[in-house]
Amino acid sequence: MAKFITTFLFLLFLPSSLLAIDTMTQFQSLPDGSTLVSEDEIFEMGFFSPGNNSNRYLGIWYKGIPVRTVVWVANRENPIKDSSSKLSINSEGRLVILSHNETLVWSSNSTTQRQVNSPIVQLLNSGNLVLRDEKVNDFESYLWQSFDYPSDTLLPGMKIGWNLKNGLNRQLSAWKNWDDPSPGDFTWGIVLGTTPELVIWKGTTKYYRSGPWNGERFTSIALFQLEFVSTNDEVFTTYNLDNKSVITRLVLNKSVYSRQRYNWIPENQTWRLYSSVPRDNCDNYNLCGAYGNCLVQESPPCKCLTGFKPKSPRSWEAFDWTEGCMQSEEWKCKVKNRDGFEKLSGLKMPDTTKSWASKNLTLDDCRIKCWKNCSCTAYANLDIREEGSGCQIWFGDLMDLRVASIPGQDLYVRMPVSATGFNVNVLVVNK
Ligand SMILES: *[C@@H]1O[C@H](CO)[C@@H](O)[C@H](O)[C@H]1NC(C)=O
Ligand SMILES: *[C@@H]1O[C@H](CO)[C@@H](O)[C@H](O)[C@H]1NC(C)=O
Ligand SMILES: *[C@@H]1O[C@H](CO)[C@@H](O)[C@H](O)[C@H]1NC(C)=O
Ligand SMILES: *[C@@H]1O[C@H](CO)[C@@H](O)[C@H](O)[C@H]1NC(C)=O
Ligand SMILES: *[C@@H]1O[C@H](CO)[C@@H](O)[C@H](O)[C@H]1NC(C)=O
Ligand SMILES: *[C@@H]1O[C@H](CO)[C@@H](O)[C@H](O)[C@H]1NC(C)=O
Ligand SMILES: *[C@@H]1O[C@H](CO)[C@@H](O)[C@H](O)[C@H]1NC(C)=O
Ligand SMILES: *[C@@H]1O[C@H](CO)[C@@H](O)[C@H](O)[C@H]1NC(C)=O
């Protein structure tokens, strides 16, 4: 019987062009050399060797694109040394890669413990590899899906971010090398906090920050339709395409330390680089230091915010902006004419690591809340839609400022009041 099944599968998977198959059952297995192909024949899954590396990995790539472009890898950290492995569904209903002597190389990490009668694996048209019950085909019931465990590529429909119910945190991590898919120290994910932000990390250091979600978009991203969802269950961002025939991918690329968007140009049979982040010097995290504003058109790009001066004028003159800026005049907490707020427009909102937010407060309440706490250094609306609503306040030095690529949000920075500033002291006394 076992022999019969093996022979049967051999025949089943051999003529791949005639029999493009997108599913596999528990009674079948996918040996090295065979592939699954999505129904629309856009994506293909199988074992491959990247670049000059002879190791074998299970991965997903574009079937019709001659330059092998891998979008997902299963056993990133467990390369296989020979071509004798196979993918199958084990008796517990998990997806497993077994080597020739049945050693477990990799296994899918189910998010649900639910057992199903007839599990199948399917490569969907979206490029998502899913494990599901043969008879049930809806998103909610997947036992496991590759989209939950991204490699270096974000395809349309994939999510970056958190499932708060089970703690799953979907992050992208670049390949270590062009021929080594193991996760490098270049990652992209959502940092939860008072306001979630998309952050790219180089090792443990912040490299790029999207700016907090302000109701319309992450303050600096507008290149593609980006949807942001924040509920009690989930915090994630994703993108979808209006035109399904456009082939596009976002990839985290460690060789240039950049997050790149590529579009496939069928006429020229080539990937065209459409955009990349960081876009310019000012996108580099906190280039100008605390209270330093980055103006990409200027040379040098760093200028202290209105009301601030370089903390160390000598290093500032030498283009070392790391120490940032300090108030030019003496500031005294809650002291009349020594404390107030200046409205600064068109800035990317500062790093929200040390911040607090509430959807309920008005901008006036927000100002008072900030003013009452001597560690508060700035406030702003949380949501800029319509007239603006909600309150965000910052504590400590304001970090990673630049001129926003899409202006539209005002930041009220605490400083000794100037003629144009808000004197909160007076404002509170009047109430
Ligand atoms: C890949 O291998 C080929 C043939 O051995 C060699 O010529 C080439 O330099 C290698 N490429 C890299 C980047 O190592
Ligand atoms: C199976 O093969 C791998 C190498 O291919 C080897 O490291 C491992 O020890 C083998 N396991 C058994 C149980 O033979
Ligand atoms: C997956 O495996 C890791 C360790 O390998 C474990 O920490 C985690 O809880 C597992 N489950 C999920 C859903 O990731
Ligand atoms: C979708 O994109 C394809 C390829 O770029 C193009 O040929 C087609 O006209 C587009 N369709 C629409 C409705 O924009
Ligand atoms: C990384 O960027 C370089 C230079 O733009 C490009 O040649 C290479 O193909 C990119 N790698 C990936 C994985 O997209
Ligand atoms: C294809 O390449 C040619 C020559 O480089 C260029 O002129 C043309 O604009 C390209 N076509 C598209 C659709 O980008
Ligand atoms: C904010 O307002 C909503 C609805 O008015 C209310 O349910 C909620 O408790 C308020 N939250 C806080 C923190 O006051
Ligand atoms: C000011 O805010 C900080 C940070 O949230 C907090 O630790 C501190 O207790 C607050 N001080 C007052 C007086 O409320």
Side-chain angles (χ1 to χ4, degrees):
M1 185 61 189
K3 194 162 193 178
F4 166 71
I5 291 174
T6 316
T7 317
F8 173 73
L9 283 175
F10 186 68
L11 291 173
L12 189 67
F13 285 114
L14 197 62
S16 56
S17 58
L18 287 175
L19 285 168
I21 289 177
D22 69 344
T23 56
M24 182 184 85
T25 71
Q26 200 163 18
F27 305 104
Q28 299 171 317
S29 63
L30 187 77
D32 192 327
S34 299
T35 60
L36 292 186
V37 174
S38 64
E39 193 187 9
D40 63 4
E41 307 212 342
I42 298 289
F43 290 103
E44 183 167 27
M45 183 197 70
F47 291 90
F48 73 100
S49 291
N52 274 4
N53 188 336
S54 64
N55 287 334
R56 304 295 285 170
Y57 296 88
L58 181 78
I60 299 173
W61 56 84
Y62 296 91
K63 181 173 169 54
I65 291 179
V67 229
R68 160 92 44 92
T69 308
V70 176
V71 296
W72 183 77
V73 181
N75 54 316
R76 294 181 79 178
E77 291 172 278
N78 299 78
I80 304 158
K81 302 287 176 202
D82 58 33
S83 301
S84 64
S85 297
K86 63 184 183 203
L87 177 75
S88 56
I89 303 171
N90 74 3
S91 55
E92 291 160 16
R94 283 176 185 233
L95 210 51
V96 292
I97 300 173
L98 301 173
S99 70
H100 64 287
N101 58 13
E102 302 287 315
T103 310
L104 182 70
V105 173
W106 174 88
S107 127
S108 68
N109 197 345
S110 285
T111 33
T112 36
Q113 297 305 312
R114 202 155 38 88
Q115 289 279 331
V116 297
N117 292 331
S118 41
I120 62 164
V121 62
Q122 181 175 20
L123 181 60
L124 303 181
N125 290 344
S126 57
N128 194 5
L129 183 72
V130 303
L131 189 62
R132 63 174 177 89
D133 193 311
E134 191 173 13
K135 296 184 189 70
V136 190
N137 192 7
D138 66 87
F139 184 78
E140 294 297 321
S141 66
Y142 295 151
L143 302 169
W144 177 90
Q145 53 181 324
S146 63
F147 272 18
D148 277 344
Y149 302 90
S151 295
D152 65 342
T153 303
L154 193 74
L155 296 172
M158 281 178 80
K159 294 172 180 176
I160 283 209
W162 295 78
N163 179 330
L164 301 172
K165 283 197 291 188
N166 62 15
L168 178 74
N169 178 17
R170 304 177 203 86
Q171 288 195 326
L172 252 59
S173 55
W175 287 26
K176 200 169 253 171
N177 259 308
W178 71 285
D179 65 353
D180 180 359
S182 62
D185 62 352
F186 193 51
T187 52
W188 178 30
I190 285 192
V191 176
L192 296 175
T194 53
T195 45
E197 287 198 61
L198 285 171
V199 174
I200 299 178
W201 304 82
K202 197 173 175 178
T204 53
T205 313
K206 271 185 198 174
Y207 181 64
Y208 168 79
R209 206 172 54 85
S210 62
W213 179 252
N214 62 17
E216 286 193 348
R217 63 218 152 200
F218 284 105
T219 348
S220 300
I221 306 179
L223 297 172
F224 49 91
Q225 262 194 307
L226 197 76
E227 188 193 344
F228 179 82
V229 177
S230 179
T231 66
N232 290 336
D233 294 342
E234 285 196 285
V235 179
F236 67 88
T237 186
T238 185
Y239 68 98
N240 288 291
L241 295 175
D242 293 335
N243 187 340
K244 300 284 177 206
S245 60
V246 173
I247 293 179
T248 181
R249 65 191 164 99
L250 269 177
V251 63
L252 211 51
N253 190 332
K254 187 170 144 64
S255 61
V256 285
Y257 281 110
S258 156
R259 188 196 70 205
Q260 302 170 318
R261 172 172 291 279
Y262 284 99
N263 295 334
W264 179 250
I265 311 296
E267 299 94 297
N268 290 3
Q269 292 287 292
T270 171
W271 286 107
R272 172 165 315 146
L273 183 63
Y274 172 79
S275 65
S276 54
V277 162
R279 289 155 303 173
D280 54 43
N281 243 351
C282 290
D283 266 349
N284 289 305
Y285 182 77
N286 209 26
L287 183 76
C288 298
Y291 303 103
N293 186 16
C294 196
L295 298 92
V296 79
Q297 316 283 23
E298 309 263 319
S299 179
C302 293
K303 299 274 177 296
C304 290
L305 287 183
T306 314
F308 291 77
K309 63 179 184 196
K311 207 169 198 171
S312 159
R314 193 170 296 173
S315 8
W316 193 270
E317 293 304 318
F319 303 153
D320 174 3
W321 306 293
T322 47
E323 286 187 61
C325 307
M326 57 187 279
Q327 265 139 356
S328 356
E329 287 173 56
E330 194 191 12
W331 171 82
K332 282 191 177 146
C333 187
K334 298 186 205 173
V335 171
K336 201 173 178 191
N337 298 326
R338 293 278 108 213
D339 191 7
F341 295 98
E342 182 92 36
K343 174 173 154 180
L344 303 178
S345 301
L347 289 176
K348 175 177 175 179
M349 293 295 106
D351 190 330
T352 57
T353 307
K354 290 188 207 152
S355 73
W356 176 92
S358 162
K359 283 183 184 155
N360 290 8
L361 297 189
T362 65
L363 203 57
D364 279 344
D365 295 338
C366 195
R367 175 186 307 152
I368 292 161
K369 178 142 186 102
C370 180
W371 183 80
K372 281 182 177 165
N373 187 323
C374 293
S375 321
C376 180
T377 46
Y379 71 91
N381 264 146
L382 191 57
D383 192 324
I384 64 167
R385 283 174 292 189
E386 291 166 18
E387 252 90 272
S389 63
C391 166
Q392 175 140 36
I393 65 180
W394 280 264
F395 303 104
D397 289 346
L398 301 180
M399 301 291 201
D400 194 32
L401 295 166
R402 69 164 294 169
V403 174
S405 52
I406 320 146
Q409 190 156 14
D410 298 326
L411 180 71
Y412 298 85
V413 179
R414 194 167 200 172
M415 61 180 79
V417 251
S418 69
T420 56
F422 293 87
N423 191 331
V424 181
N425 206 352
V426 172
L427 195 143
V428 173
V429 169
N430 286 349
K431 272 211 157 185

